[in-house]
Amino acid sequence: MSAEETPLLPLIRAEIRETGPMSAARYMELCLAHPKHGYYVTRDPLGEAGDFTTAPEISQMFGEMIGVWTAWIAQRLRTFRLIELGPGRGTLMADALRAVRGAGLDPEVWFVETSPVLRKAQAERVPDAHWVASLREVPEGPFVLVANEFLDALPVHQYLRTAEGWRERLVGIWSGAQDRGGLDWGLSEPFPGQDQAAEGAWLEISPQADAVLTEIADRLKTSPGAALIVDYGYTASDRPGGLTMQAVQGHARIDPLEAPGASDLTWLIDFDVAAAALPGAQVTSQADFLASIGIGERAMSLAKAKPEQAEVVADALERLTAAQQMGTLFKVLGVVSEDLPTPPGFGG
Ligand code: SAH
């Protein structure tokens, strides 16, 4: 397999020559967020003509269901900020706001976004939003936070349990690795671990994702509010085992080392870990969440209003909720501050 000689590749090789093999997390950070050549810095990757399609880009119904959920919470908050992490094209928020405003609420919208290209796309759909680069910059106060496919874009470290201890998976320039732009995977020296992990077990840890979850947990302690986190991931019952990092280009899976900075890199969220970081959090499947908010009824009313669109609506409903599509692979985590009742979608 040959590598694409992307503008980022020589910079990665130079960094490895200078400071040694880099973690998967450092590689991912450079690929996605390098200030000049990072994947999200240089392009809008969403949609049929791009590299991948997300739930809000499939149908307005997705954002609308999140809007209905938000309105339910917000009616107990009066004024609040509506925060979104990694809003992509701003489609989810535009659809959610229709539902939120329809319920007589008018929150300030805060977007946490680093990509200049996507900020521009967001401004076309939600012109009066506020933009910041990290959640810490959003003022304290009552809030509803939503995030779809955001955590999986944050850098992740990968560790392998070996007979000698844990070893971190590294990207290096090893001899013989001439076929992937000189890059290949290797392992760090082992470091001892006192745990019971079986030999051959992999562990993926994202300090950046953990920091975001901790920041949300801290906010929920000081302000009334709620968070809804949707992502591709697993719990104990459908844990894949092994590594979950994957690269996508033009809607096809490729080798993560093949096109650095020109393909999307993601990993699967461990929702048990995420829930443990957020006291009181509950996790359900996207299919169950959307069904209990009322996506079936919404699909029916859309199809009734525009019979010529009935097939498109049915197709979108299928993609969002069918088990073989996004319905079970995608999970939804919901958490509210102590003063609020269990929200809809989680047995409330
Ligand atoms: N939520 C959107 C987009 C998902 S893609 C949707 O569902 O369509 C990931 C999003 O996170 C993009 O908007 C990307 O620019 C943003 N992003 C990635 N890393 C980020 C970071 N470290 N800080 C803020 N935003 C980031």
Side-chain angles (χ1 to χ4, degrees):
M1 184 214 61
S2 64
E4 188 182 331
E5 189 66 28
T6 60
L8 191 60
L9 186 51
L11 305 183
I12 291 174
R13 281 196 297 254
E15 181 169 318
I16 292 171
R17 287 202 185 97
E18 196 152 314
T19 56
M22 62 176 68
S23 64
R26 175 64 180 158
Y27 177 73
M28 199 172 163
E29 182 178 32
L30 288 170
C31 287
L32 296 185
H34 183 279
K36 195 152 164 236
H37 303 300
Y39 181 73
Y40 282 111
V41 178
T42 53
R43 76 200 71 211
D44 171 353
L46 295 160
E48 300 306 329
D51 288 323
F52 60 98
T53 303
T54 55
E57 300 300 329
I58 289 173
S59 166
Q60 68 183 73
M61 295 185 288
F62 185 78
E64 286 170 354
M65 291 305 109
I66 292 188
V68 168
W69 190 86
T70 299
W72 189 94
I73 306 278
Q75 266 144 7
R76 290 155 179 83
L77 298 176
R78 282 195 293 267
T79 64
F80 70 108
R81 289 187 185 84
L82 182 47
I83 306 168
E84 184 174 1
L85 310 180
R89 289 185 177 159
T91 309
L92 186 160
M93 185 59 80
D95 293 334
L97 279 175
R98 274 198 314 279
V100 168
R101 289 183 178 143
L105 302 154
D106 193 21
E108 263 181 25
V109 174
W110 286 73
F111 282 153
V112 177
E113 177 60 70
T114 43
S115 163
V117 182
L118 289 172
R119 277 191 184 197
K120 230 176 118 212
Q122 290 152 21
E124 282 166 23
R125 291 171 185 81
V126 189
D128 47 0
H130 299 71
W131 281 267
V132 289
S134 89
L135 179 55
R136 279 187 304 279
E137 296 168 63
V138 180
E140 291 278 344
F143 71 97
V144 175
L145 177 147
V146 301
N148 185 60
E149 292 208 48
F150 170 75
L151 293 179
D152 70 12
L154 301 179
V156 69
H157 291 270
Q158 301 177 315
Y159 303 94
L160 175 66
R161 188 74 160 98
T162 67
E164 302 80 41
W166 286 99
R167 289 171 174 244
E168 180 160 17
R169 192 168 184 240
L170 302 174
V171 180
I173 304 173
W174 324 100
S175 59
Q178 296 310 320
D179 54 342
R180 289 192 279 197
L183 305 181
D184 205 352
W185 295 106
L187 291 171
S188 73
E189 289 301 311
F191 42 94
Q194 300 294 321
D195 55 274
Q196 302 296 310
E199 216 180 302
W202 283 99
L203 194 61
E204 290 180 317
I205 297 179
S206 172
Q208 283 195 31
D210 292 348
V212 170
L213 296 170
T214 303
E215 167 76 25
I216 296 170
D218 288 348
R219 274 175 193 257
L220 288 169
K221 273 183 229 149
T222 52
S223 306
L228 194 71
I229 295 172
V230 188
D231 222 313
Y232 198 34
Y234 57 88
T235 60
S237 61
D238 58 353
R239 181 178 301 277
L243 294 172
T244 73
M245 191 196 278
Q246 60 177 51
V248 164
Q249 195 180 49
H251 299 269
R253 293 274 288 270
I254 64 166
D255 187 300
L257 298 183
E258 195 177 325
S263 59
D264 188 38
L265 293 177
T266 57
W267 50 288
L268 298 187
I269 302 305
D270 184 336
F271 274 89
D272 292 332
V273 168
L278 291 161
Q282 295 186 70
V283 178
T284 185
S285 68
Q286 178 165 303
D288 288 349
F289 175 79
L290 292 175
S292 77
I293 304 298
I295 197 167
E297 293 78 355
R298 180 64 181 139
M300 273 197 279
S301 77
L302 281 174
K304 219 168 158 189
K306 287 192 184 160
E308 72 283 5
Q309 291 285 308
E311 213 172 301
V312 174
V313 171
D315 179 58
L317 182 65
E318 164 92 8
R319 284 178 76 183
L320 293 173
T321 60
Q324 320 83 283
Q325 306 228 20
M326 299 177 84
T328 42
L329 282 172
F330 278 77
K331 307 280 190 285
V332 183
L333 177 152
V335 60
V336 296
S337 52
E338 248 181 6
D339 45 330
L340 295 179
T342 304
F346 300 93

